[in-house]
Each structure stands twice: as C-alpha cells, then as structure tokens.
Amino acid sequence: MRSQVLWANEDAVEAQWGSGLREILTTGAAPLPPQVQVEPSHDAGPNTPQAVSEEFDPRPQQARLQRLREWASAESERTEVAALPPELLQIVAFQNINSADDVLARCAGLTIPMDIRLARELAAVVSERPAPEQLPEKPKPVAGSEWSESPGVFAGVDWSTFGEGQARPLTPLLTHAVEGGISLDWQDPADLGRVRIFRVVASADTWPALDPSQAEPVGVTLSTSVAAPLVATSAVTFIGVWCHAGQDEVAARMAAPVFVAQGQVVWPPSRLTLQVTPRKTVAATFNVPPGATIQVQRFGAGSKPRFNQAAALDPSVLVGNGFVDPHPPVGEVSYAVYASVRLGDGSLEWSEPVMGTVTVRVRPTSLPLTVSPNGVSPGTYDISWETPEHGAVEVFLSPSAPPAGLSEESRTREIVRSQGLTPDRLLPYPTLSLGDTTVIQGVAIPDEWARAYFVATHVMAEDAVGVGPTVGLVLPRPPRNPELIERVDTQIITFAWPAADAQSKDADVIVEVHQGPRQSQELDVGRSQPIVSMTHEQYVLMGGIHLTRTLPPNGCSLHLFGVIYERGRPRRSHGVALDYPGITRVAYDIVAVRQDGQRSVNADDLAGYAVTVLSNEVLDAAHFVVVHHPQRLPLSPNDPGARELLSELRPLIANVTQTLGHLTPGTHMGFVRLFYSPPDRRDCARIAVIDPDPANLWRGVC
C-alpha cells in the first residue's frame, strides 16, 4: 500500500480538498476520500459498480484501455508513469472516468498517489482530448524559495529496503568555506524526475549515506549550488545530499530519496591576527578547530600564496593557539594557515587556508666597505663588506664624493640618486659570498680618474635606503710624454699634464721631479727629495718645468710623479723615468792683464789678454781655438773672415779656472771668441761653451 503525505503548500492541494486543507495542516491527519454523488440506475443490482461521474462514455471500454496502454508504453521513461499500477489503467478504462477530478477522486479512494497534471493526461487519453500543454522544466520553489532550513514533510521510507551497506553517491560534492557557512555544488541528476528536491544533511561522525533522517538536517533546495549556513562543531563535518524526484512536488515528496552526493568540509582556522614584534618576528593567533592539526605556510613578496609544502614553516613555530615566526623575510609577508584531519578511510584532508599579510620593516644600516689592492691583477681593487641579514647591497663607484651627511639617516632611493649615486655608477661586477662577508674582486678604475670614491647602499625598500661611509682612493697619474729641452743657459722639461679630463686637474694635484743615477728606471721616492715641483696653474703659465739648478754634466735620470696630498701626506703615482745623458759646460773669459798676470786697470799697464776657462767636468784632452772676426762674433772656428789667434790642447780640471794662453794687444779691433774644436765633431754635442759678456770680447789684437 502507498501512503500519501501532505505538506505546507496551500496552492498545490487546494484543487483536491478545498477547505479541508487547514485541517490537514493543523492536525496532519489524512481526510476521508471525497463523497461523490451518484444517481442509482433503475436496473442496477447490488453489485453494479457505482459511477463517479454523471457523464457516460458510449465508446467501447476496450478501446479506452488500449489507448491508455499505448500512452503508458510511450511515456514509460517518465518515472511517475512507470510507477502507475496496471490495475489503475483498467479502472480508468472500464469505469466511467473522463475528467481529471474523476481520476483524482478514484486514486484517493484507492490510496494511489496522483498529481493533478498526470490526472489531466489520463483524462485526455481516455476521452481522446488533446493532452495539456507541458509545463516548462523550471523547478517549482520549495515553500516559496530556493533554500529553506525547514525541510517540511516527506514520505516515510522503509530504509531496510536499501540494504545493509551505505548508498553509493551519484556525484561528488564540492565544498568551499564562505562567510557565514559553506557553499555546496553538485551535478544535477536531471534523469531522476521533473521536479527534484534536494535534502542536505550533515554529520560530525561519518558520511550520512544510510538514512538522511538520522543526520542533522541542514536545509532543502531545488538548486544544485547553494550556501548552507553550517557552523563548525568539530574539525570536520560530513555532508550528504539526498534527492526526492517526481513529476511534481507532491510526487517528489512521496518518492523514496536517492543519495546523489557526499563530501566533507575540514574547517579552517578562524580569526587570524598577525603582528610584527619589536624584534622583527611575526606573532600570530587564531582559533583552532577541535581535533585539527595546524600547518603554517609562508610566502614572501612577489610569491603567489598557494598550497605548497615547500613553503611550510617548521612545526616548532606553533605555540598553543598561534605561532611565532622568528626569521621572517623583510617586506610584505603572507601567511596561509591550514587545518588537516585524518578521515576514517585513512586519507588526509586539508582545509582551505585562512590568510593574512603583514609588512616587516627593518631599518637599513650604514655598511662600511673595505677596499684593498687585488693581489692578482695590479691596478684593480677588491671590495668587501659584512653581509647584512636582510635587504640588498648596492656598491657605487664615482669620481666625486657624495655630499657629507648623506649617511646620517635612511633616505629614499630618489634622494640617493639625486646625490650622484645613479644607476650608471653602480658596479656591475658579480659578488662572491665568503661566510659572513661579501666580496667583489678585481674592480678597475678608469685611467683618467685622479680620485675614486666607493660607497655602499643598504636597500630595504624604495623608501628605506641606507648610505654607508665613503671610501676614497687617491689615484694620481704620472705625467705623460716627458721630454728634456737642453739650452746653453737653461734646461726645460715638457710633458702632458697627468689627467686627460679637466675634473681631475684639481688645485692640489702637482707634478714632482726627482733626480737619480743615470739609466735607472726605479727610484726609492721615500729616500729622495724633489728637485723641483709644479702646480697646474704654473703649468698653464709656463708650459713646462724650467730647471733652476743645472743638471750634472755626466748625466742622470729624472723621475716625474703626479702627486696628490691626502690628509697632509703626499700620494704619488708611479714614476715616469727620463734619462739625461749630461753635458759639460765650459765658461771662458778674455781678461786684460798686467805684466805680473794681475788684472789691468788701464791701458798704461796692459801687457796682454789672458784666455781663461772654467769647466764643470773633467776633460782629459780638450782642444780649444780662439778666433778673431773684425765685424761680428765668429760663428765657428772656420767662419769666413775670421782668423785663428790661439790653438790649445790640454786637460781641464773640474771647477778650476785655468789659463789657456795669452793674446798680444794690437791695433786690429774685432770680436774674439773661444770654440771647442775636437777632431771628432760628434763630441761637440756634449760640450757647451758659454760666452761671457759680449763687451769683453771686443778687443784689439795683433
């Protein structure tokens, strides 16, 4: 036998029992079938079936039954049609049943479930009227809404007919924690019936796959995607979805349910709070679901938070209802806190994460640099610094020092760049980590720089940059292309100024000249004193160094240095050597003398003219000649118009005045001049004869 259960849907039952609806809703008792008025026939016997309608169908009853069977066969895929008992078709065919009300009344008396739509179809088939227009497939709302926490009344079911084992779900259940509950999604089993009512139930112990009435009811819906107002009572909640399906809502509620979906939700931690402590650790608190295991995953700036076991923190960071991250990265840090539960089948199920983000800020430091010459590549330098725990280090090289006070406090990157630490000054060299120290090796400095300044910046963020102390290098460059210009009465050293650019021609850059032994390329400048020095201003004025002290006649080496004074101490470049072969200077004079060899004071005591010489170097055999020219100074011993007055070959002692000979006074007035005239004319290059005052050379001789 089938039982019919009525529910709180006033419109659906009004057509059947009219005012008896309120009695059903208040008492829950099924009413008696409605009494049908029948006029007895005159020849009716006691066993004559009573008609349920005044209408009489004259057509053969067999034809009516045939039409009903053909209709039932064609609509056999419909659940409500297939459920019709065969005897009902015979009753409708052989009794005088032609309207939907007749069908409903007869089914009510026989306690056979029947809805108004199906009753109209049966009446249309037996009376050969057109079938009623099919209603759209849009589900009818349950109790006027898509979701109701009051499930209403469903038909009683003998659950023993389902067997001892659990029902197998038709589709998986997708769960997602949302604010105020859980969103549920499952596939719509459209083949179960035209109207599908889903009962959502929950359990804290296991999947409710045996009897939905034994689980905690959550709600009823016609939709396959809902937000259920579930709250956490344990670490995991098991959820089942049962479907009652039928041609209409009445049939659906009276039909046995089908287990369509099951799933579970592992409740995530809640109320996560994060805070950065003064020690730059991150402390967190949260609510832990009862019985759950917690895992914390950390993601730095630029990383997209997603479940990643590699990002999990050590379980030792967990403390009670929170955690303490002792070494978070600097900047924006995201944390994802997961709960996990071991299910009854042994599988490990994870919750969705509760997310939080904090910003860890560390004050940048002023990093000092150590600059030392590279031992492998001369002229290059190694830069090292202590590796900071957080942030990045950028090292700059500049020909000018940053402004004083830049390292006193944290700056923005924009300010740092405006003070000369621009990207083009950033060292592009790779770094090498040696324990707690970072090193850049083999940094070369442009040749034209006389000064170089290294400075490190500790970058924590665009608005937090620390500038370290400046390390300056003084790099004086030696003069270039030196040459010695030899004159009889002076010597001049010409050269190009040490630097190629005007910036390094500072007022404190000078050039020093040191003297050393001839043909020596190296000089111990620490034990030497400069013989002359020149500033850039003097260089521009004079064009070179004019030696005020005659270089030795036997030659020497000249070493030129570029010098910059730093903190009162000279910093010299490497030297440039200039070899000087030397030159012998012989000074002579034509002296009027008396008979006793003393200088004559007037013409009365004049006895002759003594030719005296003074050499600054020893000459073993020096050949000198004296010539006379009546009109001008003779230009050479063989000058046309000149006549030789004296020829002497003798050794000369250094720095001792010696007399080569005497000239006899006479009436031939003219210029008398001394020449060095060795047999090999190439020797003349190393002998310089220095003339006295030309007035002393105008003499009268024989």
Side-chain angles (χ1 to χ4, degrees), residues 483-562:
E483 292 184 1
L484 178 64
I485 299 176
E486 182 79 64
R487 295 181 179 174
V488 174
D489 55 350
T490 186
Q491 294 164 315
I492 301 173
I493 302 175
T494 62
F495 53 88
W497 194 255
D501 62 332
Q503 183 179 8
S504 48
K505 296 173 182 177
D506 301 315
D508 58 348
V509 177
I510 65 174
V511 172
E512 286 183 352
V513 179
H514 292 247
Q515 181 179 316
R518 186 179 179 189
Q519 297 182 345
S520 63
Q521 297 298 316
E522 299 294 335
L523 179 69
D524 186 359
V525 72
R527 298 183 179 182
S528 173
Q529 293 294 326
I531 61 173
V532 66
S533 62
M534 171 173 278
T535 66
H536 183 258
E537 183 180 1
Q538 293 171 331
Y539 175 82
V540 173
L541 181 63
M542 302 181 64
I545 296 177
H546 292 246
L547 297 177
T548 57
R549 188 176 71 178
T550 305
L551 297 176
N554 57 348
C556 64
S557 61
L558 299 176
H559 300 266
L560 281 69
F561 298 90

Side-chain angles (χ1 to χ4, degrees), residues 185 205 263 343 457 478 513 532 535 539 570 573 609:
D185 292 273
D205 302 322
L343 301 181
T457 59
V513 179
V532 66
T535 66
Y539 175 82
S573 69
Y609 299 101

Side-chain angles (χ1 to χ4, degrees), residues 243-256:
C243 177
H244 295 262
Q247 180 64 23
D248 56 15
E249 188 172 346
V250 176
R253 285 185 174 271
M254 288 190 300

